Amino acid sequence: MDDLLVRLRTGLPADALITDPDITVSYANDMASFCPAGTPAVVVLPRTVEQVQHVMRTATALRVPVVPQGARTGLSGAANASDGCIVLSLIKMDRILEINPVDRIAVVEPGVINATLSRAVAEVGLAYPPDPSSWEMCTIGGNIGTASGGLCCVKYGVTAEYVLGLDVVLADGRLLTTGRRTAKGVAGYDLTRLFVGSEGSLGIVVKAVLALKPEPPQQLALAAEFGSAAAACDAVCRIMEGGHTPSLLEIMDRTTVRAVNAMAGMGLPESTEALLLAAFDTPDPAADLAAVGALCAAAGATEVVPAENAAESELLLQARRLALPALEAVRTATMIDDVCVPRSRLAALIDGTAAIAEKYDLTIGVCAHAGDGNTHPVVCFDQADPDESRRARESFDEIMGLGLELGGTITGEHGVGVLKKEWLSRELGPVGLELQRGIKQTFDPLGLLNPGKLF
């Protein structure tokens, strides 16, 4: 420990090191439940690439594990500390280095807050579409590490589709530049995409070149109520099959609707079994809403309520934004899954989750990015009750198993981390797992970067 601190101090300012155990413990974990965390030896908050390189060279020389962190808003334990590690928090590297409206790119450091970047590019008529629900807190580096998504994915895609190039400090301290600043480029293997979603296990992202889009028109939304999840999911299939391109297409099940009503008194009918929310940011959103409203009615909607202006749209979408806080109020703790299934199997996942909730005598609400099949079953439980906690964990695993049975994936946007690593091998299969471990060995032969995650 003493040797580690002495070496770190030779290349870092005093305020970049935190050794007080009462403070370092606050960096031990992210927001995931059921994910063990160790005790870090030291927390380092670098401000420059050279300082990150110094940390990695020191870690390699002394064989000390390093756990990269952003804002720790993740939900899989990917940022959890291991015993005796260096926690490398990138939150002080928070500069927007460039916004280029001609090339439609932004160049940023990893600690830039998602919402801060979105507001900055909006000033020049551009948009950075990836919008995780924690966008007011989460960092771009964390978004890259976990390949984050968001509400707009159905039209605009996920973080991976906007990362053009990266500067990455490798485990031994070397600096690697990947990708490009150009709109096109296919030179060599796509190492940029390899780092996106790697959860800090291959290198430390210290700079990112991000693609931007023209700022879209103000969106308009509608809400459609259904007497069953199957009918709501049928409407989703009709909308997508019809070639529509909503900017948002979300679904909330009965449990979630009732939780939102209980918390916010929004007056949603208690008879609602599923609530579908759709929005368009097209040149004529009212016409698109009318077409989608007709499809919802044909699928069996009991009521369709289109907004006439932006204020009404925000009121309709408020129910979706309140979904997680409302479910968190049901019990003392939650486990938030993010199983993604083909759109055609969405109803089977929602109905199957309801059956699992009944089997384990738990409250499990489902809200979903219906347009891309990314569901968020939220298991509510009392963490002070050992039996209820056990049932929560077992139900969580059963939902992941259901997702794989339906042809889906164990994670659409939250990542694997600690929470789902035992499931990763089931999804990848032995050949896939062997190759992925080989990639890890190539980039991190000593196994120092974020150990215990993914595999």
Side-chain angles (χ1 to χ4, degrees), residues 345-393:
R345 309 308 303 276
L346 188 57
L349 191 285
I350 294 175
D351 289 339
T353 299
I356 292 169
E358 183 175 357
K359 173 182 175 181
Y360 288 95
D361 190 23
L362 293 167
T363 297
I364 305 178
V366 180
C367 51
H369 309 313
D372 52 25
N374 194 173
T375 70
H376 292 303
V378 181
V379 182
C380 307
F381 65 100
D382 182 356
Q383 59 187 344
D385 183 334
D387 182 66
E388 193 164 309
S389 295
R390 174 191 59 79
R391 287 184 279 123
R393 180 65 213 227

Side-chain angles (χ1 to χ4, degrees), residues 86-387:
I86 299 169
V87 164
L88 186 61
S89 174
L90 284 307
I91 58 173
K92 298 294 186 182
M93 296 181 68
D94 60 356
R95 295 179 299 162
I96 298 175
L97 302 173
E98 179 185 354
I99 297 174
N100 188 320
V102 174
D103 294 331
R104 292 183 181 173
I105 61 170
V107 183
V108 305
E109 291 182 328
V112 172
I113 301 297
N114 185 295
T116 300
L117 175 62
S118 295
R119 294 183 181 115
V121 300
E123 293 179 3
V124 293
L126 295 172
Y128 178 67
D131 61 343
S133 59
S134 59
W135 77 305
E136 292 281 6
M137 300 178 288
C138 63
T139 63
I140 295 298
N143 294 168
I144 291 170
T146 57
S148 299
L151 298 181
C152 72
C153 293
V154 60
K155 181 173 183 178
Y156 293 105
V158 296
T159 296
E161 296 167 61
Y162 293 86
V163 182
L164 299 178
L166 296 170
D167 277 8
V168 181
V169 175
L170 300 177
D172 60 7
R174 289 178 296 165
L175 182 63
L176 169 69
T177 297
T178 76
R180 64 196 194 279
R181 291 171 58 98
T182 55
K184 296 166 64 178
V186 293
Y189 296 125
D190 192 348
L191 295 182
T192 303
R193 277 291 186 108
L194 186 61
F195 282 103
V196 179
S198 67
E199 302 183 18
S201 66
L202 302 179
I204 312 296
V205 172
V206 290
K207 186 170 73 174
V209 181
L210 305 173
L212 305 175
K213 297 282 189 183
E215 188 172 21
Q218 179 70 52
Q219 67 180 5
L220 284 182
L222 69 73
E225 298 168 10
F226 292 88
S228 70
C233 294
D234 179 34
V236 171
C237 293
R238 291 172 186 245
I239 291 166
M240 301 309 294
E241 186 178 17
H244 298 282
T245 55
S247 55
L248 174 149
L249 189 58
E250 300 285 308
I251 198 169
M252 298 161 56
D253 74 345
R254 171 186 58 194
T255 300
T256 307
V257 168
R258 291 179 179 177
V260 169
N261 265 348
M263 187 182 79
M266 295 196 70
L268 300 171
E270 290 294 312
S271 60
T272 299
E273 292 292 313
L275 183 69
L276 186 66
L277 298 164
F280 286 87
D281 58 6
T282 52
D284 188 5
D288 289 307
L289 288 184
V292 165
L295 291 174
C296 289
T302 56
E303 187 171 4
V304 177
V305 182
E308 294 185 1
N309 53 51
E312 289 184 7
S313 292
E314 284 303 304
L315 188 61
L316 292 177
L317 297 179
Q318 184 68 7
R320 175 61 180 89
R321 295 193 178 97
L322 290 174
L324 181 54
L327 289 168
E328 288 176 336
V330 172
R331 303 295 278 167
T332 64
T334 57
M335 289 187 73
I336 306 171
D337 211 330
D338 74 319
V339 170
C340 191
V341 296
R343 298 184 193 99
S344 58
R345 309 308 303 276
L346 188 57
L349 191 285
I350 294 175
D351 289 339
T353 299
I356 292 169
E358 183 175 357
K359 173 182 175 181
Y360 288 95
D361 190 23
L362 293 167
T363 297
I364 305 178
V366 180
C367 51
H369 309 313
D372 52 25
N374 194 173
T375 70
H376 292 303
V378 181
V379 182
C380 307
F381 65 100
D382 182 356
Q383 59 187 344
D385 183 334
D387 182 66

Side-chain angles (χ1 to χ4, degrees), residues 407-423:
T409 173
I410 59 170
T411 176
E413 56 189 5
H414 292 171
V416 175
V418 176
L419 188 62
K420 298 185 175 184
K421 68 177 186 176
E422 65 187 77
W423 283 89

